[in-house]
Amino acid sequence: MISCDLAVIGAGPAGLAAAIAAREAGVEDILVLERDEAAGGILNQCIHSGFGLHTFQEELTGPEYAARFRARAEELGIPIRLGVMVLGLGSDRVLTLTSRERGLEQLRAGAVILAMGCRERPRGALNIPGYRPAGIYTAGTAQRLVNMEGLLPGREIVILGSGDIGLIMARRMTLEGAHVQCVAELLPYSGGLKRNIVQCLDDYGIPLRLSHTVVNIRGRERVEGVTLAQVGPDRRPVPGTEEDIPCDTLLLSVGLLPENELSEGAGVALDPVTGGPVVGEDFSTSVPGVFACGNALHVHDLVDFVSQEAAAAGRSAARFLKGGPPAGPVIPIRCRDGVRYTVPQHLAVEAMPPEVTVRFRVSAPFREKYLACYINGTRVFHGKKRIMAPGEMEQYTLRRAALPADAREIVFCVEED
Amino acid sequence: MDYDVLVVGAGVTGCATAMELTKYTLRAGVLEAGEDVCTGTSKANSAIVHAGFDALPGSLKARFNVEGSRLMPALARRLDIPYRRNGALVLAFSPEERAGLEELLRRGRANGVEGLELLDRQALRQREPRVSPEAWGALYAPSSAIVCPFELTAAMAENAAANGARFHFGARVTAVRREGELWALETQAGCFRAPVVINAAGLGGGTLHNLVSREKVSLVPRKGEYCLLDRKVGGLVSHTIFQLPTRMGKGVLVTPTVHGNLLMGPTALDVEDPLATDTTAAGLDRVIQQARRSVPELPVNRVITSFAGLRAHPEGEESDFILGEAPGAPGFLDAIGMESPGLSAAPAVGAFLAESAAYLVRASVNRSYDGSRPAVCRPAELSPEERAELIRRRPEYGRIVCRCEQVSEGEILDAIRRCPGARSLDGVKRRTRAGMGRCQGGFCMPRVLELLSRELGLPPEEITKGGGGSRLLWGPTRKRGGEGE
């Protein structure tokens, strides 16, 4: 059995930021575990720009953003082990690792930060009928093939789902000489960032077909076409609206799911809405000494927020390792009416820092509606928002000074007026 | 190329037959239209070794099902493939359906099925708490089991090959001639001759039979659609749960798989196209509806994939397997119409056909037959110490390629290097489960592609999903030296 003070699972943007912050807070013995052959996580395949506007006030590509954190980790001498897969995590913070170089190992960690990222929903999760030929990929797999392996999956493309990776890949495939017929979206609105719709679809004349879905896939060996149909308000296909689109490739961008098999194995309580761990304002999970951040916690729209949250998780792990004072009473942060979830899901009022950012997503697009915050049933905030959309994360800053001593519950919701 | 016995088709029946043939002193060849073993009916079914209670007593289905079910445990042990006797329950939803259970019990006893028992509501709920409260009683068959049909077929093929049988892939039979005492089979891979031919060509078996026999048969493709659920919910039920069989077959079942998933299906719909393995919205809806009748709590949001298979159903009611010499075609033995319980029956059918073929070519027992199979390395099943030792010797077992099913690079290389080995992404998936988990290959596909490309010495754009025209990639990107440079 080997040991370390802090084990960080994943060297993507979350894991790197968490490890850096923990080291800056005084944790000496850190081990970052990465299953891929390079640190940087999903950013390594995101070669488009638009990263880091909040963090660095400049527009970087994914690999550039990752490189800054990698360089800082290197400067601090934080060891990052590559090509190592964590097979298991116990509630006693013992990790089982496997790698080519060192085989099977047990690692005992004083604290653990979960930063495994997320994965894409596959075709099977949608139960799209039809054949199962070659040429059906998730957008992220296609992105990896194109940007990292130099391989083009196909030439005539239909994209189902308007998540950000799907939008980015519509542009990327076009730049590679492929023809993107359309992006179909089941919902009456896009799940991606507005700026991506403009820069990746509108600028290239790629139609966004809202309230449409793929109801059949043709082709026994390779995709030969898909049937697109309009859906009604119940999201079921409307008979008679079917239209055949010949294509050789179907890309799917139909949702991201935090990867939490390890968390579940350790007994970490998960939030059924986010798919990630339930955490407090210090990003602690239900298992002592285990913290979560990044897309393993909840799926983010901007990497800048990932870095911020991960750094906070790293500092909390450092406090835990130093045996910080007990957190004291904890109150729930709830949501209703238009707010789908919040992170954190609870708050230790006495132990909280002066400011805590609560992040959340709304359940549908809202125009000219109010975001409200209630404490103990009393409305403490009521702010008008021009637009709120499920594709963009919202946030609200709770100030310790503004919390009453008897605070029992905090609730977020969207209100008409 | 000349053989003593040629098997047409490398599905579970063909591979079982090939394996059994190598127990005799004869030259056995297998002709397969596809690029791998187990690419037709054998790859898309319920993966059940049926107990044998629903076939009509006296039928070939009854005899070979019960025999096959008895042979399977020892076969699974010696070939090192996953098999589990989990027992089956046939539910009755009303007192009126009790007659149906009693008929199955009577048939089962006549067929020689052991341990059958009728359960009342309470005994049923005790045995399987998640079944529908509407279920009024059940027939319990303890000898029903689950198996991995991919590994079973591949393992029998490997054993056959290790004992001297030769496999020819991409060898679809296009014409059959009689040349003296020999059958000459024209294929896309050349002409093959043998005095004895065994027709295990699945859905193509009817056409092949009709080329040589004076008595024509008609096989109807009967489509069955399935949904596979995530392993997280695999423990919801422990038995294979049937409803009463209908005219069209055994009906929709809910069962755990040997790999811990939950499987529900199949539908039964006769179609015209023998290649129509597409799923349909109506079919998948029906699977879910019917499965929920047996197990109401089925979490259908945990479906990770769906698929359809085609059974080769001989026209007519209560039809039976078609086994033995085709009328008017000496030495041409049929093994067709192998719909359910074809998988369960395969080991017994293979032994029967091999014995008949050996008699025809006057072969004797092959004393050097080796019944084992080169050990399969499954790191996840080893103790931590054994696994650590394995990786020390062979580091490739330490690198995980498929995260969801935790499949290592070493296992994927083994699958490609075995004989007959995987030539495609699906071939690797069927042998190792890489890509079969909840992400359905999103992460591991580029890595498996790379390993296939390296091992087979082919550029990545020539690697296929499952042979033929199923190429995975269009080609290199512009930067990589494709168009535009």
Side-chain angles (χ1 to χ4, degrees):
Chain A
M1 173 112 50
I2 52 174
S3 67
C4 67
D5 287 341
L6 173 62
V8 180
I9 308 178
L16 289 173
I20 290 166
R23 170 60 58 85
E24 286 169 346
V27 183
E28 280 304 314
D29 185 13
I30 302 177
L31 192 52
V32 183
L33 304 162
E34 169 56 47
R35 55 192 160 197
D36 215 329
E37 303 302 325
I42 202 69
L43 290 177
N44 290 336
Q45 67 183 56
C46 299
I47 63 171
H48 53 283
S49 62
F51 298 90
L53 284 167
H54 292 68
T55 312
F56 300 110
Q57 284 77 49
E58 57 182 310
E59 207 171 344
L60 305 174
T61 65
E64 285 170 337
Y65 187 95
R68 296 205 177 179
F69 283 82
R70 227 170 19 227
R72 179 68 182 143
E74 206 168 301
E75 199 175 283
L76 292 169
I78 299 171
I80 302 174
R81 271 185 61 189
L82 303 173
V84 54
M85 172 93 182
V86 181
L87 294 176
L89 168 66
S91 55
D92 53 358
R93 301 190 295 275
V94 172
L95 293 79
T96 307
L97 319 178
T98 180
S99 64
R100 277 189 78 100
E101 292 69 30
R102 311 219 356 214
L104 202 65
E105 297 169 278
Q106 300 273 92
L107 167 66
R108 182 179 294 284
V112 174
I113 294 180
L114 305 168
M116 294 84 69
C118 61
R119 65 165 163 267
E120 300 173 277
R121 280 178 82 203
R123 172 202 181 172
L126 307 181
N127 238 351
I128 304 172
Y131 285 93
R132 300 197 299 153
I136 305 167
Y137 300 106
T138 56
T141 303
Q143 189 179 44
R144 176 159 188 121
L145 287 170
V146 173
N147 291 349
M148 295 186 74
E149 326 261 337
L151 297 167
L152 193 62
R155 296 280 289 168
E156 279 295 328
I157 321 288
V158 169
I159 299 178
L160 175 62
S162 59
D164 286 313
I165 314 175
L167 301 175
I168 296 282
M169 281 313 288
R171 176 175 65 184
R172 188 76 189 92
M173 295 299 285
T174 306
L175 294 175
E176 282 298 336
H179 175 232
V180 179
Q181 309 237 18
C182 66
V183 174
E185 169 59 58
L186 178 75
L187 300 174
Y189 52 86
S190 164
L193 292 169
K194 180 74 188 160
R195 71 172 197 214
N196 282 336
I197 294 171
V198 174
Q199 294 171 9
C200 300
L201 300 189
D202 298 354
D203 287 1
Y204 294 85
I206 300 167
L208 174 60
R209 310 275 304 264
L210 297 173
S211 299
H212 277 75
T213 193
V214 172
V215 294
N216 194 29
I217 298 173
R218 278 195 301 116
R220 284 181 183 124
E221 296 187 320
R222 176 81 198 191
V223 174
E224 289 166 14
V226 300
T227 308
L228 211 60
Q230 206 180 323
V231 297
D234 59 352
R235 298 185 192 171
R236 304 278 292 183
V238 178
T241 62
E242 296 85 0
E243 134 189 35
D244 185 77
I245 303 187
C247 60
D248 59 28
T249 304
L250 173 66
L251 298 187
L252 300 172
S253 178
V254 290
L256 299 170
L257 306 166
E259 266 204 313
N260 279 288
E261 279 71 28
L262 290 174
S263 324
E264 280 182 292
V268 168
L270 299 185
D271 181 327
V273 180
T274 60
V278 172
V279 293
E281 79 293 342
D282 59 352
F283 298 92
S284 60
T285 69
S286 63
V287 174
V290 177
F291 300 81
C293 57
N295 283 346
L297 174 60
H298 62 141
V299 174
H300 290 70
D301 53 350
L302 297 182
V303 70
D304 306 78
F305 300 145
V306 166
S307 303
Q308 281 175 26
E309 292 179 8
R315 287 189 293 272
S316 300
R319 256 197 319 280
F320 172 84
L321 287 165
K322 284 179 201 144
V330 164
I331 65 168
I333 303 175
R334 299 187 208 278
C335 55
R336 59 175 164 85
D337 300 339
V339 177
R340 284 187 63 226
Y341 70 84
T342 67
V343 169
Q345 288 92 341
H346 53 79
L347 183 73
V349 184
E350 289 169 18
M352 74 180 275
E355 288 188 348
V356 165
T357 303
V358 178
R359 294 209 161 91
F360 51 90
R361 286 184 193 254
V362 292
S363 56
F366 294 102
R367 272 176 189 281
E368 310 289 338
K369 294 287 185 298
Y370 293 82
L371 176 66
C373 175
Y374 287 78
I375 297 177
N376 296 352
T378 307
R379 191 159 77 188
V380 296
F381 175 76
H382 187 242
K384 189 166 187 173
K385 291 271 198 176
R386 203 174 64 77
I387 286 182
M388 289 184 280
E392 326 225 346
M393 236 159 56
E394 300 291 332
Q395 64 181 57
Y396 177 79
T397 305
L398 282 172
R399 266 170 267 282
R400 186 171 60 192
L403 279 179
D406 67 340
R408 293 182 309 276
E409 181 194 57
I410 301 169
V411 178
F412 289 90
C413 59
V414 175
E415 293 183 338
E416 286 290 321
D417 44 33
Chain B
M1 210 172 294
D2 290 355
Y3 288 97
D4 294 317
V5 183
L6 274 169
V7 180
V8 183
V12 70
T13 305
C15 290
T17 306
M19 177 181 77
E20 293 295 331
L21 281 169
T22 61
K23 293 179 177 172
Y24 298 93
T25 53
L26 50 78
R27 292 168 303 161
V30 182
L31 307 178
E32 166 57 46
E35 48 98 44
D36 195 1
V37 301
C38 203
T39 59
T41 303
S42 305
K43 81 164 177 186
N45 52 69
S46 308
I48 305 292
V49 182
H50 294 285
F53 51 75
D54 56 349
L56 210 56
S59 64
L60 294 168
K61 282 185 179 176
R63 171 184 158 191
F64 286 103
N65 182 350
V66 174
E67 263 180 54
S69 150
R70 283 190 193 134
L71 290 172
M72 203 67 86
L75 182 65
R77 252 193 319 278
R78 82 176 160 89
L79 296 179
D80 188 17
I81 57 154
Y83 163 92
R84 186 156 65 84
R85 197 163 262 210
N86 65 323
L89 294 164
V90 185
L91 306 185
F93 287 91
S94 66
E96 294 75 56
E97 286 193 352
R98 186 186 167 91
L101 295 187
E102 277 168 357
E103 168 63 10
L104 291 179
L105 179 67
R106 195 186 61 75
R107 283 188 184 195
R109 286 188 175 148
N111 294 345
V113 181
E114 285 143 27
L116 293 176
E117 174 182 355
L118 288 176
L119 305 182
D120 63 13
R121 188 190 297 258
Q122 196 189 349
L124 168 63
R125 299 278 290 179
Q126 226 156 32
R127 186 158 273 292
E128 191 61 89
R130 256 57 176 261
V131 294
S132 165
E134 306 286 314
W136 175 90
L139 174 69
Y140 172 51
S143 64
S144 182
I146 48 183
V147 71
C148 173
F150 316 131
E151 288 181 73
L152 172 65
T153 306
M156 292 193 297
E158 285 171 30
N159 179 263
N163 284 292
R166 289 199 54 189
F167 285 78
H168 302 272
F169 294 101
R172 179 182 298 282
V173 177
T174 51
V176 184
R177 285 190 313 275
R178 193 76 175 137
E179 291 183 358
E181 294 291 290
L182 299 178
W183 293 104
L185 276 56
E186 283 299 341
T187 78
Q188 294 154 315
C191 184
F192 296 86
R193 291 179 186 80
V196 174
V197 170
I198 293 172
N199 173 13
L203 283 155
T207 313
L208 189 58
H209 168 100
N210 292 342
L211 287 177
V212 302
S213 181
R214 57 165 192 267
E215 280 182 27
K216 305 302 175 199
V217 299
S218 173
L219 299 182
V220 184
R222 182 167 281 183
K223 187 188 284 188
E225 301 187 34
Y226 293 87
C227 296
L228 187 74
L229 279 75
D230 195 303
R231 283 203 294 200
K232 278 182 189 162
V233 296
L236 196 67
V237 295
S238 63
H239 298 80
T240 299
I241 300 169
F242 295 94
Q243 297 167 8
L244 274 174
T246 67
R247 207 170 52 78
M248 292 294 278
K250 295 188 174 75
V252 169
L253 58 82
V254 178
T255 185
T257 71
V258 279
H259 295 292
N261 297 88
L262 209 59
L263 181 67
M264 52 186 184
T267 52
L269 182 72
D270 290 346
V271 296
E272 274 172 25
D273 181 356
L275 297 171
T277 53
D278 56 327
T279 55
T280 61
L284 297 176
D285 277 352
R286 190 172 159 75
V287 167
I288 290 168
Q289 245 177 50
Q290 289 288 309
R292 277 192 158 160
R293 188 170 175 236
S294 295
V295 184
E297 302 170 41
L298 272 177
V300 295
N301 58 345
R302 294 289 196 169
V303 169
I304 59 171
T305 188
S306 51
F307 60 89
L310 295 168
R311 318 163 178 92
H313 171 69
E315 230 170 25
E317 302 255 317
E318 292 265 14
S319 57
D320 205 354
F321 294 155
I322 301 169
L323 287 179
E325 197 164 85
F332 189 98
L333 309 182
D334 279 323
I336 57 177
M338 306 302 292
E339 58 184 337
S340 180
L343 175 68
S344 322
V349 167
F352 167 76
L353 291 169
E355 195 187 342
S356 313
Y359 174 78
L360 289 173
V361 300
R362 296 183 182 80
S364 53
V365 172
N366 172 13
R367 297 198 186 284
S368 59
Y369 172 78
D370 181 350
S372 69
R373 169 190 186 213
V376 184
C377 195
R378 300 190 185 97
E381 290 175 13
L382 300 176
S383 72
E385 295 75 28
E386 291 168 327
R387 190 169 182 177
E389 175 52 31
L390 169 72
I391 302 170
R392 249 193 301 282
R393 281 186 291 115
R394 304 273 308 275
E396 59 270 31
Y397 291 105
R399 181 186 174 220
I400 299 292
V401 172
C402 166
R403 304 173 184 183
C404 304
E405 299 293 311
Q406 301 201 341
V407 182
S408 66
E409 181 180 320
E411 291 160 274
I412 291 168
L413 294 175
D414 287 347
I416 302 170
R417 291 171 185 169
R418 281 176 174 270
C419 175
R423 310 269 311 163
S424 65
L425 203 66
D426 282 352
V428 169
K429 174 164 118 174
R430 284 193 293 269
R431 285 173 178 81
T432 65
R433 301 186 54 71
M436 236 181 240
R438 55 183 67 97
C439 96
Q440 290 284 299
F443 286 118
C444 65
M445 175 268 178
R447 296 283 68 75
V448 177
L449 180 84
E450 186 188 338
L451 293 173
L452 277 165
S453 160
R454 196 178 80 198
E455 287 292 306
L456 302 177
L458 295 170
E461 54 270 28
E462 283 181 34
I463 303 300
T464 63
K465 177 172 183 286
S470 66
R471 287 190 179 191
L472 290 159
L473 300 166
W474 185 80
T477 54
R478 287 175 165 172
K479 263 184 259 108
R480 186 74 186 270
E483 83 173 50
E485 197 177 64

